[in-house]
Amino acid sequence: MRFSCVTCAYIFPIKRCVSYKIYPKLKALDDVLGGSAAWKNVDAIDEPCPKCSHPRAYFMQVQTRSADEPMTVFYKCCSPTCGHRWKE
């Protein structure tokens, strides 16, 4: 195996294969949604929490994909002790 230049006669022999993967660090969901301040002025609906079964949850709609796709609905449990977050 070797690398060769297409414009000149340079040839570099490859002695060993070196490969590695670097995965980018993803942002936390709160940073994408606007942090904890984004949940201050949201409405609540009758949606049971899957974690604690509290009957109400705050909700927020965010366009996370292209404009022709439906909006993603994010929920946060209204119970102050739970605060579980999930999306639809």
Side-chain angles (χ1 to χ4, degrees), residues 30-78:
D30 264 356
D31 292 342
V32 175
L33 295 178
S36 59
W39 290 100
K40 287 186 178 178
N41 295 321
V42 293
D43 293 325
I45 61 168
D46 293 328
E47 181 72 26
C49 175
K51 187 175 179 183
C52 71
S53 300
H54 190 273
R56 291 190 57 82
Y58 300 114
F59 78 99
M60 169 182 8
Q61 291 183 333
V62 178
Q63 187 72 40
T64 57
R65 294 174 283 188
S66 62
D68 61 341
E69 298 286 330
M71 295 181 85
T72 305
V73 181
F74 292 92
Y75 296 100
K76 180 180 177 184
C77 182
C78 286

Side-chain angles (χ1 to χ4, degrees), residues 1-5 10-14:
M1 302 245 331
R2 61 186 180 174
F3 285 120
S4 61
C5 180
Y10 179 75
I11 296 175
F12 182 80
I14 301 172

